[in-house]
Amino acid sequence: MTFGGWLTFILSAGSVTVLFGWCLWRVITSKRGVEDESSEGIDIYEIQNIPKKRK
Amino acid sequence: MKGERWNSRLGVILAVAGSAVGLGNFLKFPGQVAMYGGAAFMIAYVLSFFLVGIPISIAEWTMGRHGGANGFNSPPGILGFFCGSKKMAYVGITGAVLTVLIYCYYIYIEAWCLGYAYNFAAGALDFRTLEESGGFFSDFIGAAGNGEAFGIGVDKVLIFLVIAFFLNFWMIYRGVSRGIELFCKYAMPTLIVLAILIVARMMTLSNVSPEHPERSINQGLGFMWNPVKVVLEEDCGGEWREVRQLVGNDEINREMERIKTAPDSDQRERIRSISVAQQLMNPSIWIAAAGQVFFSLTVGFGAIMTYASYLKRGDDIVLSSLTSCSANEFCEVCLGGMITVPAAVAFFGVSGAIGAGLSLFDLGFKVLPLFFVSMPLGGFFGFLFFFLLFLAAVTSSLSMLQPSLAFIEEATGLRRRFSTLLLGLLTFFITGFVVYFSKGLKAMDTLDFWMGQVAIYVFAMIQIIAFSWHFGVGKGIRLANAGSIIKLPAFCGFILKYITPTVLLAVFATWFAKDVMGLLGSGKLSPYISDLVGADGKPPNAVALMTMAIVVAMFAFFALILSSSKRYDKLGRRKK
């Protein structure tokens, strides 16, 4: 494999490993997401015949 | 089953990643990288990942969580609810039908993996040549004639098919958290550990072909990843045609020497370097990269939206989506990219590996078994590899059953026991049809083309348009961000609304015009079309026609269930 080949491989594999590692770290260390104000104003659609979900 | 939920955030991420990680990661991706050149392919691949893969994935997660929070878990229910239209629920049937039909042939391939794993563990495989390896494969899957796959014995696929079939149904019968999540929580880490073990063994292999010292794993890696492709070309009546790729200075120098010394050879043959920029000018590379990302991430199937529907209203989706996508990429690039093609090249050399075939089935079930048989401790590593493929396949096939199971339960109100039984009977007969017509794998190929390629593209486009244009990209992003640990930046709206649908449409249109209708390139009509309409004086293929009849019947059956269900009647009259 040429130097360019190694560079391509290391950049490709390295970037997906870093991305995956960062995501996994955030998932493990973050507290559960909570509904925030940004969701307000969105119509929370309700189907009338599902009483459990009715607000 | 009503009120089903995932047990943990990591559980749902592993389940979605499991649905994405499949045979394509380990068998198709390396072949594509090798064929199109490492750096050029990866540039197109990374762009496709961010412009097509991630956006559709986030749209699916968002629609799924929103539908689930309001009592809908199936693609018809979720899409109908999201668009506020019962007509869109009918469109959503595509997601339930295509996943269940893909399952009906995917389970057949899953059984091959299990069968090969067993036969390696039992030490029953002993090949000397590619012909012997191919012969075993052909006998094992019953490719020689229709009905040949139904033999009993460990050298036939049937017994492994039964085991795989029941394992899948046992898991979905147990439910989302006690079945799918539990299985994926153990299977995914196991799969990654097995892959790392195999990669470590591959990287420490030396002297794979003693009679050909130039062949090595390093040469195989170079064949995949070298950015500049060096090719040998020959003159065919004034037009230069690529003969093969040259890898390594030794081979390039040897060929240069041969061309120089052979009489008149320099006029008939030449060696040419193709830069990354030149490679990127080839539209095929973009179609291949976008297709690989798209199919590899399992976006557009309706499986992700079904899984996401079991989240709670305030659960994170942006980070979860990104994590599951990056887990798939890790398995594909770091693990899949290190095993199959380097092994094939180390054993056969570049031209031998290309000659043997870089397609998914050739590489996985003919070339690699021969490689494992020939290497030290090959039985053990062969077992590990095919067991890894089996785990990857099961985590994917589970996600193919859940959308239709959710639909049956949602539309009919059937309890899990009866819905599983109904789905089991449906898939039993269709899988039986696919396996019976094993000659040339005609039924499987037809289903794969129409459901596994065309229908997925179409359904993905419907989803992204429903999300970005019908629902509204601004509202969609706010909905995605609600509860999410990381937030989508504002520019994602532009990508979701304009870039993703355009790229998807362009790739689909080019692929359809070039490879299906033959309007560009070769000018030949796809065999999948000529199978249905007949061509060159040949009548339509009966197996292909029967397969399409099954597809139509499945759509009609699911549409009948939907029309007779009162569950979706108020979709068009919801309170806003």
Side-chain angles (χ1 to χ4, degrees):
Chain A
M1 184 147 71
T2 61
F3 174 75
W6 278 111
L7 195 66
T8 307
F9 172 68
I10 289 168
L11 276 177
S12 305
S15 56
V16 293
T17 307
V18 167
L19 179 65
F20 178 48
W22 179 80
C23 289
L24 209 54
W25 173 73
R26 286 299 307 264
V27 166
I28 292 167
T29 57
S30 299
K31 288 179 183 170
R32 185 182 191 79
V34 288
E35 240 176 317
D36 59 15
E37 286 178 359
S38 65
S39 65
E40 285 178 12
I42 294 172
D43 298 328
I44 302 298
Y45 303 130
E46 300 291 340
I47 298 292
Q48 291 176 0
N49 62 348
I50 310 173
K52 271 186 157 178
K53 304 291 176 191
R54 192 181 286 248
K55 265 196 162 178
Chain B
M1 206 173 279
K2 276 185 180 173
E4 274 199 299
R5 289 280 179 255
W6 298 104
N7 261 339
S8 66
R9 191 190 302 158
L10 199 59
V12 60
I13 289 168
L14 287 175
V16 175
S19 84
V21 175
L23 303 180
N25 295 59
F26 295 94
L27 300 179
K28 193 176 175 195
F29 171 79
Q32 297 260 307
V33 179
M35 201 182 300
Y36 291 104
F41 185 83
M42 286 312 291
I43 289 170
Y45 182 85
V46 169
L47 280 174
S48 304
F49 177 67
F50 285 107
L51 297 180
V52 178
I54 298 274
I56 302 179
S57 172
I58 287 175
E60 270 207 65
W61 276 80
T62 310
M63 288 194 281
R65 185 187 65 172
H66 192 48
N70 289 281
F72 291 98
N73 299 110
S74 71
I78 294 167
L79 202 62
F81 180 75
F82 204 75
C83 297
S85 153
K86 190 172 180 179
K87 283 179 190 160
M88 285 308 286
Y90 280 102
V91 173
I93 283 177
T94 311
V97 171
L98 74 89
T99 44
V100 79
L101 288 178
I102 291 173
Y103 169 85
C104 291
Y105 67 80
Y106 199 82
I107 188 75
Y108 184 33
I109 305 170
E110 196 171 304
W112 303 353
C113 300
L114 183 62
Y116 267 73
Y118 172 84
N119 280 295
F120 265 113
L125 300 182
D126 185 21
F127 317 121
R128 290 284 173 272
T129 63
L130 197 60
E131 286 69 37
E132 285 178 24
S133 174
F136 175 84
F137 176 62
S138 179
D139 289 345
F140 184 73
I141 67 169
N146 292 333
E148 292 279 315
F150 284 139
I152 302 292
V154 292
D155 58 346
K156 291 281 181 188
V157 72
L158 187 63
I159 192 166
F160 303 105
L161 180 68
V162 172
I163 294 168
F165 197 90
F166 278 100
L167 175 69
N168 275 275
F169 273 89
W170 175 241
M171 287 300 139
I172 63 153
Y173 172 72
R174 285 174 60 88
V176 167
S177 59
R178 291 194 312 129
I180 297 171
E181 184 176 353
L182 189 72
F183 185 83
C184 292
K185 257 183 167 173
Y186 288 102
M188 286 303 290
T190 308
L191 179 158
I192 289 174
V193 170
L194 291 183
I196 290 171
L197 274 177
I198 296 168
V199 168
R201 181 70 190 108
M202 288 289 169
M203 293 304 110
T204 50
L205 271 179
S206 60
N207 208 15
V208 179
S209 302
E211 65 277 22
H212 297 282
E214 76 282 3
R215 295 176 187 174
S216 65
I217 292 290
N218 191 41
Q219 190 191 23
L221 287 170
F223 175 52
M224 275 187 73
W225 297 103
N226 283 350
V228 177
K229 277 174 76 173
V230 181
V231 293
L232 176 68
E233 293 181 330
E234 68 178 6
D235 184 8
C236 294
E239 193 179 327
W240 289 100
R241 192 173 62 82
E242 183 177 321
V243 177
R244 65 188 168 93
Q245 193 178 336
L246 305 177
V247 180
N249 288 335
D250 289 349
E251 191 177 13
I252 294 167
N253 292 337
R254 199 170 52 243
E255 286 300 323
M256 284 176 88
E257 195 62 32
R258 186 182 62 77
I259 291 172
K260 269 184 192 167
T261 51
D264 296 335
S265 177
D266 58 333
Q267 285 161 25
R268 290 184 286 108
E269 291 180 296
R270 71 174 183 184
I271 291 173
R272 189 166 73 97
S273 296
I274 309 173
S275 70
V276 174
Q278 285 171 317
Q279 290 170 53
L280 283 170
M281 298 302 284
N282 176 7
S284 299
I285 200 171
W286 293 95
I287 297 176
Q292 178 63 26
V293 165
F294 181 73
F295 291 115
S296 171
L297 288 175
T298 332
V299 289
F301 280 57
I304 294 178
M305 67 161 63
T306 302
Y307 274 7
S309 74
Y310 298 106
L311 291 167
K312 295 189 186 80
R313 193 187 289 273
D315 279 343
D316 163 82
I317 47 177
V318 178
L319 179 62
S320 302
S321 166
L322 194 61
T323 310
S324 56
C325 288
S326 60
N328 177 67
E329 295 313 302
F330 173 76
C331 290
E332 186 153 284
V333 178
C334 298
L335 304 176
M338 299 282 278
I339 300 175
T340 44
V341 168
V345 171
F347 193 68
F348 289 105
V350 172
S351 49
I354 293 172
L358 290 175
S359 72
L360 192 146
F361 292 159
D362 286 339
L363 198 57
F365 296 96
K366 294 176 186 172
V367 176
L368 279 177
L370 182 57
F371 170 77
F372 284 123
V373 165
S374 310
M375 72 182 259
L377 289 176
F380 175 67
F381 282 98
F383 161 75
L384 289 189
F385 179 73
F386 283 100
F387 189 64
L388 174 163
L389 288 187
F390 175 68
L391 289 180
V394 176
T395 54
S396 300
S397 59
L398 288 173
S399 72
M400 294 167 195
L401 286 173
Q402 193 61 30
S404 43
L405 188 81
F407 173 64
I408 290 170
E409 290 179 356
E410 188 179 276
T412 63
L414 281 176
R415 296 172 71 129
R416 175 58 52 90
R417 184 176 304 170
F418 297 109
S419 60
T420 311
L421 188 66
L422 178 60
L423 188 63
L425 283 173
L426 270 175
T427 51
F428 175 80
F429 285 114
I430 301 174
T431 304
F433 170 84
V434 171
V435 178
Y436 179 80
F437 288 105
S438 56
K439 186 178 179 185
L441 302 174
K442 181 56 81 181
M444 186 172 97
D445 266 358
T446 306
L447 271 183
D448 180 49
F449 178 76
W450 290 107
M451 293 289 99
Q453 294 182 51
V454 177
I456 290 175
Y457 263 126
V458 172
F459 195 53
M461 275 193 282
I462 290 169
Q463 286 181 64
I464 199 72
I465 288 168
F467 182 85
S468 301
W469 290 85
H470 190 280
F471 186 72
V473 75
K475 276 200 297 183
I477 286 185
R478 274 153 59 209
L479 192 61
N481 282 341
S484 288
I485 294 165
I486 57 172
K487 308 293 181 194
L488 286 175
F491 70 82
C492 288
F494 181 78
I495 294 176
L496 275 160
K497 191 164 184 177
Y498 298 106
I499 307 286
T500 309
T502 308
V503 172
L504 207 55
L505 192 64
V507 169
F508 179 71
T510 314
W511 170 76
F512 201 78
K514 183 170 176 278
D515 294 342
V516 181
M517 302 310 295
L519 300 175
L520 306 166
S522 68
K524 283 183 186 169
L525 194 66
S526 162
Y528 299 103
I529 305 281
S530 50
D531 274 349
L532 298 179
V533 296
D536 302 330
K538 284 184 187 170
N541 185 289
V543 177
L545 285 177
M546 282 192 282
T547 309
M548 291 311 286
I550 287 173
V551 172
V552 173
M554 278 296 286
F555 269 102
F557 180 60
F558 277 25
L560 192 66
I561 292 178
L562 195 145
S563 69
S564 59
S565 171
K566 290 190 170 61
R567 190 81 170 76
Y568 309 96
D569 286 351
K570 293 189 178 176
L571 282 173
R573 289 181 276 135
R574 68 186 179 206
K575 190 174 70 178
K576 288 191 179 178

